[in-house]
Amino acid sequence: MNRPATAAAPSGRHAATPPGPAPHTTGPADTPAVPGPAASLLPEVWEDLVTTALLGTDRRTPAGSASGADAPAALLDAAAAAAVRRRAGLRPARAAERPRPVPEDPRPELPPAAARRLTVLLTDRSGASGGGRRGAAPDLLELLPQWLAAANARGFAAPPPALPALLDAARGRTDLRPAALRFAGPRGLWLARLNPDWRFALRSAPGGSTSLPGPGDTERVMRLWQEGLFAERVALLSSLRSREPAAARELLVTTWATERAEDRLMFLDSLRARLGPDDEPFLEQSLADRSRNVRATAAELLSALPGSALARRMAVRAGACVAVDHTGDAPLLTVEAPHECDAGMERDGVVPKAPAGRGERSWWLGQLVEAAPLGTWSRRLGGRTPRQIVALPVGDDWRSELHAAWCRAAVRQRDAEWAQALLGEPSAAEAGGPGAVSLAERAKLLGTLTAGERAEWVAGFIGTHGLPDAFQLLGVCAVPWAPPLGRAVVDALDIARDAGSYPWSFSGVMGLAERCLDPSEAGHLDALLAVPDEAEDASPGAGGYWSEAFQRLVTTLRLRAAMLAELNPAARP
C-alpha cells in the first residue's frame, strides 16, 4: 500500500511547502500575478493537493497524474510547482507605521544596588509555594509593594530593562497596579500600547489612553468629556476634581441629564474627593434622580456635610426618636423608632424595605441616626459630651442598634471624638467597647483617628485581649508600626509561643509583622530565634515552627532595612 505523501521525507526537486493557507496572490497594483483563469484556480489546486496528501495517494489520485508507484512523487512535484506559483504572486506587506519615540522621563535613575534589588524582587518566586511551612526565607514577592512605595516616595524612575517584568507583575496583581504604574511612568505607558497583555495600564493609569488636558484647556477638556471613552472620562473628572472641584462639578452638570444611570453613579462617586458645601445644590437636585442608587449616594454625600439642608432634616427626624428619661434613679435614653417611612424620608435616601431578618422600624431608625450630624446629640441630650452620651443606658434593648448607627455616623463624618467615645478603653472587659458591634466596625472607627492614636489603642487592645481578634485592627495601623504597637505584637507572639499555642493560627499576624514592624527592631529579636523546649501539650513541631517564623521575621526586617538604604539618594554614583 502506498503511504500518504506527507509521510515521505521530501528532498531535492520534490521538496514542497508545508500545507497552509494560501498567501495573497495579487501582483503589482491592478495586475494579477498569474493572468487569466489560472489565478482564480490556485487556491482550489492547492486545497486539492493538501487533501490528497492527507488521504494518501493510494486512496486518492493526484489530479492529472496516473495512479501507482509514481503517484507520491507526482504529488510532491505538483505541490512544489504550486508553491513556487504562490510565492511568485505574493505582494510584499506594506510597512507598518513606526512607533513614536519613547517619551523622556525626567525623574532620576535608581541607584545601581536598588536596580539590582528590583530585578530580584520581580523575578523571585520562592515565596509563592502556596500553603504549608514557608521556611526561614523572606517572601520577596510580598516586599515588592513596600519597595515600590519607597521608590515612588523618593521620586525615582523605573529602569527601562525592568519595565516588562514590572508590567507583568502589575498584570497579575491588581493591588500592585497604582504603585507599579506610577513607578513605570510615561515609558511604561508607551510600552503598554505595544502589547495587548498590558492594555490594563492604559485603563488604570490616569491619562493612559490619552494625555489629559489641563484645566485651562477648555476646548480639549470638553472634547474629551463629550467624545472620550468611559474610562477616559472618569480619569478626566477625577483629575479635574483633585485640582479644581468646582470646574469638575460644572463639567459633570453639562451632560448629567443624558448620562446612563450606572455612569451617573460612578461620576457622582468622584465628588467624594474634596467634598464641600458648594456641592450641596447639585447633590440636592440629585435626590430626585431616576435611579435609586444615585439618590442613595447623593443622600450619603449630603449627610457627610453637617451643614447641609438634608443633614438638618435628618437631625430633626432622628432627634424626635431619642430622648433622655429623668423619671428613674438615673438618666436613661429612650428610643421611639419611626412608625412609617414617608415620601420625604425616601427622598432623603432612607431605604424603605428592610433586609431579610431585620425589623422595619429599627432599619429606619438606624438610617436616620447615621445620617444626622453628630453635633445634634449634645444639644439634644442636655449638653453631654460624646463619652457621656455613649455611657448612658438605653432602654428596651435599643442600645446595640443606636450605638451601631452612631458608629456609622462617626465614620461617615470623620468625627474622631465620637469614634474614641464609641471605641471605649482598649483594656475594657468588653473587647469591642460600648459601641462597636464587630471587628470591622472597630477598624473603621480607628480609621478616623491619627496614626499615633490608632497605634496606641491597638497596642492596648493586644495587651489585654491578645492577637486572635487583632488582625483586622492591625490592618488600619500606619506602616511601619509605632514602637509601642510593634513591641505589643512581638510580646504577644512570644507569649503565644511559650504557652504552647497552635503556631499556624498566628501565621497571618506573623506575615503582617514581617511587612509592618519597624526594621530597626530586628536587633531586639535575636533572643527569640532559639528553638524552645516543647511542652507535653504543645502541638507537634510547634517549637521548630516558631523558631523558623521568628528567623524569617528577623531576616525580613534586615532585608527591608537594606532595601531602604539602597534607595538612599546618597547611594547613587
Side-chain angles (χ1 to χ4, degrees):
M1 174 184 294
N2 291 327
R3 303 175 66 183
T6 52
S11 61
R13 68 185 182 90
H14 297 299
T17 302
H24 188 55
T25 55
T26 57
D30 302 325
T31 304
V34 181
S40 60
L41 292 177
L42 273 178
E44 296 181 10
V45 170
W46 183 260
E47 292 299 327
D48 183 67
L49 292 172
V50 170
T51 303
T52 302
L54 290 173
L55 292 176
T57 54
D58 58 335
R59 297 182 181 179
R60 177 169 176 167
T61 302
S65 302
S67 59
D70 295 332
L75 173 64
L76 294 177
D77 285 340
V84 170
R85 294 173 65 189
R86 284 157 52 90
R87 290 175 178 175
L90 181 64
R91 177 187 293 174
R94 180 170 296 176
E97 182 182 353
R98 299 181 67 178
R100 295 178 180 178
V102 64
E104 291 295 327
D105 193 333
R107 298 176 296 176
E109 295 181 359
L110 278 174
R116 290 192 294 270
R117 179 74 66 188
L118 173 62
T119 300
V120 173
L121 293 176
L122 288 171
T123 57
D124 182 82
R125 295 293 181 268
S126 60
S129 55
R133 294 171 66 155
R134 289 169 45 203
D139 188 348
L140 298 186
L141 202 59
E142 288 304 314
L143 296 182
L144 182 57
Q146 197 167 109
W147 188 97
L148 289 171
N152 284 330
R154 289 159 174 79
F156 287 117
L163 287 174
L166 183 65
L167 291 171
D168 279 338
R171 180 192 179 199
R173 287 182 55 176
T174 56
D175 62 310
L176 280 179
R177 289 182 182 178
L181 295 179
R182 178 184 171 190
F183 183 57
R187 290 174 175 171
L189 292 179
W190 177 89
L191 192 61
R193 292 187 179 94
L194 305 179
N195 186 342
D197 289 343
W198 299 331
R199 290 299 173 89
F200 70 88
L202 308 181
R203 299 188 298 269
S204 303
S209 55
T210 182
S211 58
L212 293 178
D217 195 347
T218 307
E219 182 179 351
R220 286 191 63 207
V221 166
M222 290 303 301
R223 184 167 64 251
L224 181 58
W225 179 249
Q226 294 173 353
E227 302 174 4
L229 300 175
F230 177 69
E232 295 172 337
R233 301 178 74 208
V234 170
L236 173 65
L237 189 64
S238 300
S239 175
L240 197 58
R241 181 70 179 180
S242 66
R243 293 174 292 181
E244 295 188 12
R249 185 183 61 251
E250 292 167 3
L251 181 66
L252 183 56
V253 170
T254 61
T255 59
W256 181 256
T258 59
E259 303 287 358
R260 300 183 305 167
E262 54 268 33
D263 294 350
R264 293 199 304 276
L265 183 62
M266 289 290 293
F267 293 145
L268 192 64
D269 200 60
S270 69
L271 298 186
R272 295 182 188 275
R274 303 186 67 177
L275 182 68
D278 292 342
D279 297 316
E280 182 181 355
F282 175 71
L283 294 173
E284 188 74 27
Q285 293 177 5
S286 299
L287 292 176
D289 195 89
R290 302 183 301 275
S291 167
R292 183 180 66 183
N293 291 333
V294 172
R295 295 196 301 270
T297 301
E300 180 188 346
L301 294 174
L302 283 168
S303 67
L305 297 172
S308 67
L310 179 139
R312 293 194 295 271
R313 294 193 296 269
M314 288 299 197
V316 172
R317 293 172 180 134
C321 298
V322 183
V324 180
D325 183 2
H326 294 281
T327 59
D329 297 334
L332 174 75
L333 285 181
T334 59
V335 175
E336 182 66 28
H339 289 273
E340 65 173 345
C341 180
D342 58 34
M345 291 168 59
E346 282 197 59
R347 182 183 181 277
D348 286 345
V350 176
V351 179
K353 184 174 178 58
R358 183 83 178 272
E360 281 188 334
R361 296 183 63 198
S362 66
W363 172 245
W364 299 331
L365 173 73
Q367 294 180 80
L368 295 181
V369 172
E370 72 177 282
L374 288 165
T376 299
W377 300 108
S378 182
R379 299 187 297 270
R380 170 69 177 164
L381 303 177
R384 291 176 171 85
T385 65
R387 287 188 182 274
Q388 292 171 332
I389 294 172
V390 169
L392 289 173
V394 184
D396 298 330
D397 295 327
W398 283 104
R399 179 176 181 273
S400 176
E401 185 67 47
L402 183 61
H403 284 203
W406 277 335
C407 282
R408 297 191 295 273
V411 172
R412 181 181 296 185
Q413 299 171 35
R414 310 296 297 174
D415 194 309
E417 186 180 7
W418 269 90
Q420 289 175 328
L422 291 161
L423 281 166
E425 295 299 325
S427 58
E430 185 178 357
V437 294
S438 67
L439 285 170
E441 290 280 359
R442 295 171 225 166
K444 291 177 182 178
L445 288 171
L446 285 169
T448 66
L449 308 183
T450 65
E453 290 169 338
R454 274 177 272 164
E456 182 180 357
W457 197 94
V458 176
F461 180 91
I462 292 172
T464 302
H465 306 289
L467 289 170
D469 292 333
F471 188 80
Q472 278 185 285
L473 307 181
L474 288 169
V476 300
C477 294
V479 178
W481 289 336
L485 177 57
R487 287 193 293 269
V489 171
V490 173
D491 289 345
L493 288 170
D494 194 20
I495 291 170
R497 178 186 65 169
D498 293 342
S501 299
Y502 191 66
W504 293 274
S505 61
F506 293 92
S507 59
V509 175
M510 189 67 79
L512 267 181
E514 293 171 21
R515 299 188 295 274
C516 302
L517 269 177
D518 193 320
S520 63
E521 295 290 322
H524 305 302
L525 304 178
D526 289 338
L528 303 175
L529 302 183
V531 179
D533 296 331
E534 294 185 6
E536 293 183 359
D537 57 345
S539 303
Y545 175 90
W546 281 112
S547 177
E548 229 174 48
F550 280 121
Q551 178 66 59
R552 184 173 61 249
L553 174 60
V554 172
T555 305
T556 303
L557 292 179
R558 288 177 175 153
L559 176 58
R560 287 173 53 208
M563 284 167 39
L564 295 177
E566 292 164 355
L567 287 166
N568 191 322
R572 295 173 60 199

